[in-house]
């Protein structure tokens, strides 16, 4: 079973944080396209959260079609590569916006922030 | 029908009012935090539900029927202070629970015990306080109960033991049963709670879904609790 490290901040709803972290685990391939997810109970114990909260997070991922349920077999990651790419792009876009707006806060223009990224990124 | 319901529950000791018109509903399949400062009335409420104290007025219903001998067979209770005879060995404690409770799952108890690196012939008195707390929890969680009531399960144990206790609760919490965890150590347990009940000066002052409260107040349950009951935020 692929073990994911979950981290939480008690000031935000736990199920939302589970949705976010499971989404990352899926687009990063930690839970690969088409693969079976651990059971709700296994995931809950792994994250040290209530199984009901985990179920709620999985229901949300299912309504986004990132995962699907096979009646007797459990829950699987979608095989829809276009959907996975789309979500990855959305996550990347959030990160870029955060980066550029944080850089703007310390007085670095957009053009310069790209230079910084090229020079210092990956260090 | 609620799994457990308290209606207009009142309890006084001498003339001191400990519980004042407590109304509660606990549904099945939930982990609920009963949160309050020391002396708020948590343990009294729990003892009433376990039929260890008599009700002054009001009613407690378990699956729609007044509590009594029958409800005890389906409620697994971890008291705040141990009632185990410390001269017993673990094996003897298991035997006692098997004889007392028809729903005691000896196999589960052995599996849980194996995680602790303890042997059955060990005397309880020879174990550390943390180990004793863990053993007590194993006994309580090895029952196939409908309701588990844990009174301060994290009191006086180190952080590693706390984690272990929370893991044991989570991995043995089965579908359809409910767990009430009474504690004043909120930040340690809040992540595993579905719902919270705040109790203060013998009254229920707030109930609700933990995640909804976090979203509404943009704060942890611990911080919401502190801002309600302590003038200044302390850490």
């Amino acid at each position: 079973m692929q073990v994911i490290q979950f981290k939480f901040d008690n000031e935000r709803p736990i199920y939302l944080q589970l949705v976010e972290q499971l989404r990352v685990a899926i687009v990063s391939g930690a839970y690969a396209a088409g693969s079976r997810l651990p059971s709700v109970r296994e995931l809950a114990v792994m994250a040290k959260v209530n199984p009901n909260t985990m179920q709620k997070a999985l229901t949300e991922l299912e309504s986004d079609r990132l995962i699907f349920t096979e009646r007797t077999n459990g829950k699987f990651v979608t095989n829809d590569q276009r959907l996975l790419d789309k979500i990855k792009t959305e996550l990347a876009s959030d990160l870029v916006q955060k980066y550029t707006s944080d850089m703007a806060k310390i007085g670095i223009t957009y053009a310069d922030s790209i230079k910084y990224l090229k020079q210092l990124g990956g260090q | 029908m609620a799994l457990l319901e308290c209606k207009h529950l009142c309890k006084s000791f001498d003339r001191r009012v400990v519980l004042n018109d407590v109304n509660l509903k606990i549904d099945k399949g939930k982990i609920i935090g009963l949160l309050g400062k020391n002396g708020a009335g948590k343990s009294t409420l729990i003892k009433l539900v376990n039929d260890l104290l008599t009700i002054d007025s009001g009613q407690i219903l378990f699956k729609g029927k007044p509590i009594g001998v029958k409800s005890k067979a389906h409620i697994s209770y971890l008291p705040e202070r141990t009632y185990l005879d410390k001269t017993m060995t673990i094996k003897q404690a298991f035997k006692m629970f098997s004889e007392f409770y028809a729903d005691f799952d000896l196999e589960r108890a052995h599996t849980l015990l194996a995680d602790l690196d303890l042997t059955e012939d060990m005397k309880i008195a020879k174990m550390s306080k943390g180990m004793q707390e863990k053993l007590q929890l194993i006994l309580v969680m090895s029952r196939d109960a409908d309701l588990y009531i844990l009174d301060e399960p994290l009191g006086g144990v180190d952080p590693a033991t706390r984690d272990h206790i929370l893991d044991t609760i989570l991995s043995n919490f089965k579908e359809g049963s409910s767990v009430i965890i009474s504690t004043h150590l909120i930040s340690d347990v809040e992540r595993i709670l579905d719902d919270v009940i705040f109790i203060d000066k013998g009254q229920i002052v707030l109930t609700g879904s933990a995640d909804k409260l976090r979203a509404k107040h943009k704060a942890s349950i611990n911080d919401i609790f502190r801002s309600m009951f302590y003038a200044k935020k302390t850490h």
Side-chain angles (χ1 to χ4, degrees), chain B residues 98-216:
Chain B
S98 310
E99 283 165 4
F100 255 70
Y101 301 109
D103 61 359
F104 188 74
D105 182 343
L106 191 60
E107 201 177 316
R108 192 192 304 168
H110 278 125
T111 310
L112 290 171
L113 186 68
D115 294 344
L116 289 188
D117 267 342
L118 294 176
T119 51
E120 268 194 293
D121 52 7
M122 208 164 184
K123 269 207 175 124
I124 296 171
K126 292 268 167 74
M127 295 159 52
S128 70
K129 185 169 191 301
M131 282 295 182
Q132 289 182 17
E133 302 251 356
K134 286 181 195 171
L135 174 66
Q136 183 103 352
L137 189 73
I138 287 176
L139 290 166
V140 168
M141 296 307 294
S142 292
R143 289 184 54 196
D144 262 328
D146 294 322
L147 179 62
Y148 299 86
I149 303 182
L150 314 176
D151 196 358
E152 295 284 359
L154 306 174
V157 297
D158 61 80
T161 306
R162 274 180 202 176
D163 273 358
H164 187 273
I165 287 174
L166 291 177
D167 278 355
T168 307
I169 295 169
L170 276 180
S171 47
N172 290 285
F173 166 58
K174 69 173 171 22
E175 229 166 282
S177 63
S178 287
V179 184
I180 299 175
I181 303 174
S182 151
T183 188
H184 64 284
L185 300 167
I186 300 170
S187 57
D188 290 317
V189 299
E190 66 166 86
R191 200 165 296 164
I192 76 166
L193 304 176
D194 284 298
D195 297 330
V196 298
I197 299 168
F198 284 7
I199 182 168
D200 191 50
K201 299 186 180 108
Q203 291 190 303
I204 305 298
V205 288
L206 177 75
T207 58
S209 139
D211 263 356
K212 282 186 185 152
L213 286 167
R214 287 187 188 101
K216 185 179 166 199

Side-chain angles (χ1 to χ4, degrees), chain A:
Chain A
M1 182 173 61
Q2 179 68 38
V3 176
I4 304 291
Q5 298 291 335
F6 290 91
K7 265 199 149 176
F8 302 98
D9 158 7
N10 285 343
E11 296 181 7
R12 297 172 54 228
I14 303 296
Y15 92 93
L16 278 181
Q17 300 180 63
L18 286 170
V19 168
E20 291 163 5
Q21 292 175 45
L22 285 166
R23 207 183 268 143
V24 169
I26 290 169
V27 299
S28 70
Y31 290 135
S35 68
R36 196 171 94 171
L37 287 172
S39 70
V40 175
R41 179 160 289 273
E42 284 167 338
L43 284 168
V45 171
M46 200 190 290
K48 298 186 191 298
V49 299
N50 187 313
N52 296 326
T53 313
M54 184 56 79
Q55 181 59 53
K56 191 174 176 194
L58 293 176
T59 303
E60 180 137 337
L61 290 171
E62 197 154 355
S63 71
D64 294 343
R65 291 164 199 242
L66 258 183
I67 62 173
F68 63 94
T69 302
E70 258 188 26
R71 207 183 295 170
T72 51
N73 258 334
K75 296 188 190 301
F76 291 79
V77 176
T78 182
N79 281 304
D80 184 345
Q81 199 55 51
R82 279 177 60 190
L83 177 65
L84 290 169
D85 289 344
K86 180 174 158 262
I87 293 193
K88 192 180 259 188
T89 308
E90 283 170 12
L91 291 173
S93 154
D94 291 346
L95 289 171
V96 168
Q97 272 174 24
K98 181 174 180 344
Y99 171 68
T100 51
S101 81
D102 283 355
M103 290 298 262
K105 275 181 207 156
I106 58 169
I108 293 171
T109 64
Y110 176 71
D112 282 344
S113 74
I114 294 169
K115 274 190 217 154
Y116 273 100
L117 190 62
K118 280 188 178 156
Q119 276 171 21
L120 304 171
Q123 277 186 356

